[in-house]
Amino acid sequence: MDRPVGVVGGGTMGLGVAQSLATAGHPVVVLDPADQVRATGSDRLRDGLRLAKLLGRFSGDHAEVLSSVRWTAVEKDLDDVQFVVECGPERIPLKQELFRMLDAVCPPDAVLASCTSAIPIGLLAACTGRPELVLGMHFMNPAPLKPVVEVARTEQTGADTLRRADELLAGMGKRGIVVRDAPGFVSNRVLMSTINDAATVVQEGTADPATVDKVFEDCFGHRMGPLRTADLIGLDTILDTLHVLLETTGDDRFTPCELLVGMVREGRLGKKSGGGFFR
Ligand SMILES: NC(=O)c1ccc[n+]([C@@H]2O[C@H](COP(=O)([O-])OP(=O)(O)OC[C@H]3O[C@@H](n4cnc5c(N)ncnc54)[C@H](O)[C@@H]3O)[C@@H](O)[C@H]2O)c1
């Protein structure tokens, strides 16, 4: 059996990445300090597998996949991993602390990838003694159903690291699109300001959320408008990502609009809380 793959953070993205890895046959260790997240981990994973089966994306044995994912709060349980995908909260100091910990705990040859939405990978690689083994792997949500991953390489990311990331993705039936490291990479540099502007349009009373999305869906042919996309991502994650982009680019475009800030304050986080712009 191959060495396990570590997933740090078992929330929206961590769970989906763990499911994708486990269905590809990897033993997976998910590290999360939140009791509730670990306690519900297997049930959430079972739901994810059911959905994948329903959509014809998975035909294997649930029990086998569930038993290959270990949930833990103990950092040392990552001491034999070959690869880690970090999916912790979108906060620069917190992720930097996680990368320091991973560098100390994981074997020296382990690749350390981050699923960050916007944090420049160089800021995380600099917290390790292995910058050549660090890269961004920005999975899309929901990870088990999305075949393409935005891969961010720094100046220091090694060719072998990219090859190993590529192999891991291929095993999961996914492929990477490689971009240069930068705040928000390509996807969120563009998407986050669009979502922020879409929320501003609602705040200013130009149109309600359904109408804003209808313009994108019916006029531009997008499969999902920016506000439904925001609900799917999680408005708290959007807010954190806007703060990261504001801090790392200094561009005022990323100042979160008041409506978004208020919704997060009230706990209206989107799909994960049962409602956001839409129920
Ligand atoms: N939600 C999306 O659509 C989406 C898409 C692509 C990338 N991302 C990025 O993925 C990352 C995770 O986002 P998410 O939406 O899954 O967030 P989330 O809030 O759903 O999950 C974060 C998880 O991290 C855990 N956590 C907190 N502190 C931790 C620590 N010290 N060590 C380990 N785990 C810790 C939390 O308990 C939680 O389970 C973020 O960087 C986000 O920007 C999110």
Side-chain angles (χ1 to χ4, degrees):
M1 201 197 247
D2 63 348
R3 280 159 60 194
V5 179
V7 175
V8 176
T12 306
M13 292 311 291
L15 183 77
V17 171
Q19 181 183 326
S20 306
L21 288 163
T23 50
H26 295 286
V28 180
V29 183
V30 184
L31 174 76
D32 199 302
D35 295 343
Q36 171 73 1
V37 170
R38 293 194 313 283
T40 58
S42 290
D43 283 345
R44 290 183 296 127
L45 188 54
R46 195 174 289 113
D47 289 345
L49 291 171
R50 269 198 207 113
L51 178 64
K53 197 160 240 177
L54 213 62
L55 297 172
R57 304 290 186 88
F58 171 67
S59 56
D61 179 14
H62 281 201
E64 201 175 302
V65 174
L66 286 167
S67 68
S68 65
V69 179
R70 187 151 64 99
W71 295 80
T72 184
V74 180
E75 293 168 355
K76 202 167 169 329
D77 286 346
L78 297 172
D79 67 358
D80 60 344
V81 295
Q82 48 159 315
F83 209 108
V84 176
V85 183
E86 175 277 315
C87 302
E90 187 71 3
R91 310 255 165 82
I92 297 174
L94 190 150
K95 282 203 197 282
Q96 287 181 318
E97 197 46 51
L98 285 176
F99 270 73
R100 268 182 218 110
M101 177 278 289
L102 290 170
D103 193 41
V105 168
C106 300
D109 66 340
V111 170
L112 307 181
S114 177
C115 181
T116 176
S117 296
I119 298 171
I121 301 301
L123 294 180
L124 306 179
C127 298
T128 74
R130 60 179 92 184
E132 72 287 358
L133 288 170
V134 178
L135 81 168
M137 285 174 85
H138 180 215
F139 286 81
M140 304 292 141
N141 183 12
L145 305 182
K146 297 286 186 161
V148 183
V149 174
E150 189 179 32
V151 171
R153 68 175 306 174
T154 70
E155 297 281 308
Q156 290 168 293
T157 306
D160 195 50
T161 302
L162 283 170
R163 184 193 55 74
R164 287 172 64 187
D166 216 40
E167 262 179 37
L168 194 77
L169 289 175
M172 292 187 267
K174 301 187 191 298
R175 69 184 170 87
I177 296 180
V178 180
V179 302
R180 192 169 63 82
D181 185 28
F185 321 116
V186 172
S187 57
N188 282 323
R189 184 68 178 250
V190 177
L191 179 63
M192 288 300 140
S193 53
T194 304
I195 289 175
N196 202 29
D197 283 344
T200 305
V201 162
V202 173
Q203 178 181 298
E204 291 173 352
T206 310
D208 62 17
T211 308
V212 170
D213 273 16
K214 223 169 155 37
V215 169
F216 279 82
E217 290 159 10
D218 293 359
C219 300
F220 297 152
H222 290 192
R223 272 165 82 176
M224 200 191 279
L227 297 176
R228 263 180 241 287
T229 304
D231 272 3
L232 180 69
I233 294 171
L235 302 191
D236 50 347
T237 300
I238 303 267
L239 198 58
D240 285 341
T241 307
L242 284 167
H243 283 135
V244 166
L245 285 164
L246 183 61
E247 181 181 338
T248 51
T249 64
D251 186 336
D252 280 344
R253 254 178 336 137
F254 297 113
T255 304
C257 89
E258 281 169 30
L259 176 64
L260 210 47
V261 174
M263 288 174 76
V264 171
R265 199 184 307 118
E266 289 164 16
R268 289 164 60 199
L269 308 181
K271 187 167 179 259
K272 66 169 91 164
S273 72
F277 288 104
F278 302 94
R279 282 201 64 75

